[in-house]
Amino acid sequence: QFYQHATTEASQATLASVSPVFAVMKLDKEGNTTYFEKKKTELYQELGLQARDLRFQHLMSIATRNNRIIMRMEFLKAVITPEFLLILDYRNLNLEHWLCNELASQLAGEGQLVTYSLPFEFRAIEAILQYRISKLQGRLNTLQPQILETLEALVDPKLLSVDRSKLHILLQNGKSLSELETDLKVFKETILEILDEEELIEELCLSKWTDPQVFEESTSGIDHAEEMELLLENYYRQAEDLANEARELRVLIDDSESIIFINLDSHRNVMMRLNLQLTMGTFSLSLFGLIGVAFGMNLESSLEEDPRIFWLVTGIMFLGSGLIWRRLLSFLGRHLEPPLPPHVPAVLKKSQPAAGRVEIKNNLKAETFGLSRSTLTN
């Protein structure tokens, strides 16, 4: 029995030692920050949650459990209560600047958040959503100039070939843009799921069900559920705007790829036309070269005794070859000449916008459109 008891205690100690431990960062309403480590079992027991609630299976989720809000924004894991905010596993996030310098002041109402007069959970939710939107905006601001610069270099009609290094950069930026579009789509879908359900919006208002004063304010004057809905709609619209900008970049990449193919086809057609002209010249020269072949045979006639015959025959050969080549070129030009454009009546000229308001994307679009017209005409 003593041996069994010792074995049981050792196994329990081993399980306790290997049980997951969270590095927790706690922030209260005043912005005070405390750090501690706690086992997962002890943490969800103190919060009144289940073990599955702290698994964070999705890359982005917003859920409510037992008057607690559980949020995950990619690598950020947070639990919001009416009194404090818990950031789990904060050491591996590389978010020290935001956590230490910005988040505490935002929760204390010193930042520029619009929910400073509302309960604590409003400020916590807005701070996390604002951080996520700012990260997505930063990624888009980094990709946009790189993509525009690469496309501007690739659609240059003077280039006879495409720089593979530029194509490699464009491919990498295209993959990054696809990842950004996916993250924006997940962000929008997560918020839209909450906006479609009024009960979920009500559950996010934690203080409404725990603080009698907040409940009275919600029933008499300030509708906290409506404020929460407006808050989520604001960040949903911001994500929609970012998605539209990313979509414009994607369309610009696709259009520029078409222009690149048109430029390459145009240069290829020029080389094929030159090859055809040289072939026709060779054919003309070979055709009248038969005269020289005939006179070069070992045949006796009275013509080889006259010294002027050589220059006469040579002149006839070159003249005939030139005439035949000219006729073939004119025939080629008539069949490859583009048709005349239809007559377009004169229209009133539109006023040109101010030069300072023209963006680089509009310039690039105009250039690619003009290049496509010129290359198609050629």
Side-chain angles (χ1 to χ4, degrees):
Q1 293 177 355
F2 176 77
Y3 175 75
Q4 291 178 354
H5 180 70
T7 305
T8 304
E9 288 183 350
S11 61
Q12 291 179 354
T14 303
L15 290 175
S17 62
V18 298
S19 61
V21 177
F22 281 135
V24 184
M25 180 180 181
K26 181 178 180 181
L27 301 100
D28 57 10
K29 297 180 179 180
E30 287 75 22
N32 300 322
T33 306
T34 56
Y35 306 90
F36 58 89
E37 293 184 355
K38 184 160 290 189
K39 296 179 181 178
K40 182 178 179 179
T41 54
E42 297 177 357
L43 183 62
Y44 69 70
Q45 287 176 2
E46 290 182 4
L47 296 175
L49 301 174
Q50 299 295 328
R52 63 177 179 272
D53 297 331
L54 298 181
R55 290 175 184 169
F56 300 99
Q57 298 178 353
H58 303 284
L59 288 178
M60 180 175 177
S61 61
I62 303 175
T64 55
R65 297 286 188 276
N66 194 20
N67 206 31
R68 305 284 189 268
I69 300 176
I70 304 172
M71 296 184 64
R72 177 169 184 177
M73 296 291 168
E74 199 174 9
F75 301 107
L76 180 64
K77 306 174 185 177
V79 179
I80 304 173
T81 69
E83 294 81 17
F84 55 84
L85 167 66
L86 298 180
I87 305 295
L88 308 181
D89 292 336
Y90 68 92
R91 294 175 179 174
N92 300 325
L93 299 180
N94 297 324
L95 304 176
E96 290 82 2
H97 177 75
W98 177 70
L99 292 174
C100 301
N101 300 334
E102 299 181 12
L103 181 59
S105 60
Q106 290 174 348
L107 296 179
E110 300 175 2
Q112 299 179 355
L113 301 184
V114 298
T115 55
Y116 62 92
S117 60
L118 293 173
F120 174 76
E121 64 271 13
F122 283 80
R123 299 197 298 270
I125 292 175
E126 184 176 11
I128 295 176
L129 293 179
Q130 187 182 49
Y131 167 76
R132 182 59 177 163
I133 283 292
S134 64
K135 295 295 289 184
L136 295 174
Q137 179 71 54
R139 290 168 58 184
L140 181 61
N141 293 338
T142 303
L143 285 174
Q144 188 174 12
Q146 296 178 359
I147 292 176
L148 293 178
E149 182 181 358
T150 306
L151 293 179
E152 189 176 0
L154 287 174
V155 299
D156 189 359
K158 298 178 181 179
L159 298 178
L160 299 179
S161 61
V162 179
D163 190 357
R164 292 187 177 182
S165 62
K166 296 290 184 181
L167 289 178
H168 183 66
I169 294 174
L170 183 62
L171 178 61
Q172 292 180 343
N173 292 332
K175 291 181 179 179
S176 301
L177 185 61
S178 300
E179 295 176 357
L180 178 61
E181 290 176 339
T182 303
D183 294 340
L184 287 170
K185 181 181 178 181
V186 173
F187 184 89
K188 289 166 43 183
E189 290 177 351
T190 303
I191 296 182
L192 191 60
E193 290 177 359
I194 301 176
L195 292 175
D196 291 339
E197 299 291 339
E198 295 183 359
E199 296 180 356
L200 296 178
I201 298 177
E202 291 283 350
E203 291 176 358
L204 292 178
C205 303
L206 304 179
S207 301
K208 181 178 179 180
W209 313 109
T210 57
D211 192 344
Q213 181 180 359
V214 176
F215 182 77
E216 292 178 1
E217 293 178 357
S218 181
T219 54
S220 60
I222 303 175
D223 189 356
H224 290 79
E226 184 177 354
E227 294 292 335
M228 181 63 71
E229 184 177 2
L230 292 175
L231 172 65
L232 296 177
E233 286 180 352
N234 177 31
Y235 286 97
Y236 179 82
R237 286 194 298 269
Q238 293 186 30
E240 183 69 24
D241 294 338
L242 293 179
N244 291 334
E245 293 183 12
R247 196 177 302 113
E248 290 179 1
L249 280 179
R250 176 62 62 186
V251 172
L252 192 60
I253 290 176
D254 296 338
D255 294 343
S256 300
E257 288 179 353
S258 302
I259 298 302
I260 293 171
F261 292 144
I262 290 174
N263 287 336
L264 293 178
D265 291 339
S266 176
H267 293 301
R268 190 180 299 112
N269 293 336
V270 170
M271 299 303 296
M272 293 176 62
R273 186 187 181 101
L274 178 61
N275 187 21
L276 183 59
Q277 292 175 353
L278 293 177
T279 303
M280 290 187 298
T282 305
F283 169 75
S284 303
L285 219 70
S286 302
L287 181 62
F288 279 86
L290 295 176
I291 301 177
V293 173
F295 278 93
M297 298 175 64
N298 295 326
L299 299 177
E300 295 182 357
S301 63
S302 60
L303 296 178
E304 65 269 9
E305 297 178 358
D306 193 349
R308 293 174 297 178
I309 295 298
F310 171 77
W311 299 109
L312 178 63
V313 172
T314 304
I316 293 174
M317 290 173 53
F318 280 101
L319 182 61
S321 300
L323 291 176
I324 291 296
W325 190 34
R326 184 65 180 174
R327 294 287 295 177
L328 291 175
L329 289 180
S330 61
F331 175 80
L332 179 65
R334 285 197 305 269
H335 285 77
L336 296 182
E337 184 178 352
L340 295 176
H343 176 69
V344 179
V347 295
L348 295 177
K349 295 183 179 180
K350 298 182 179 179
S351 59
Q352 297 294 334
R357 299 179 182 178
V358 179
E359 299 179 356
I360 186 172
K361 292 191 293 184
N362 297 332
N363 292 335
L364 186 57
K365 289 181 180 178
E367 290 176 4
T368 54
F369 180 71
L371 291 174
S372 63
R373 294 183 59 187
S374 62
T375 49
L376 285 174
T377 304
N378 293 333

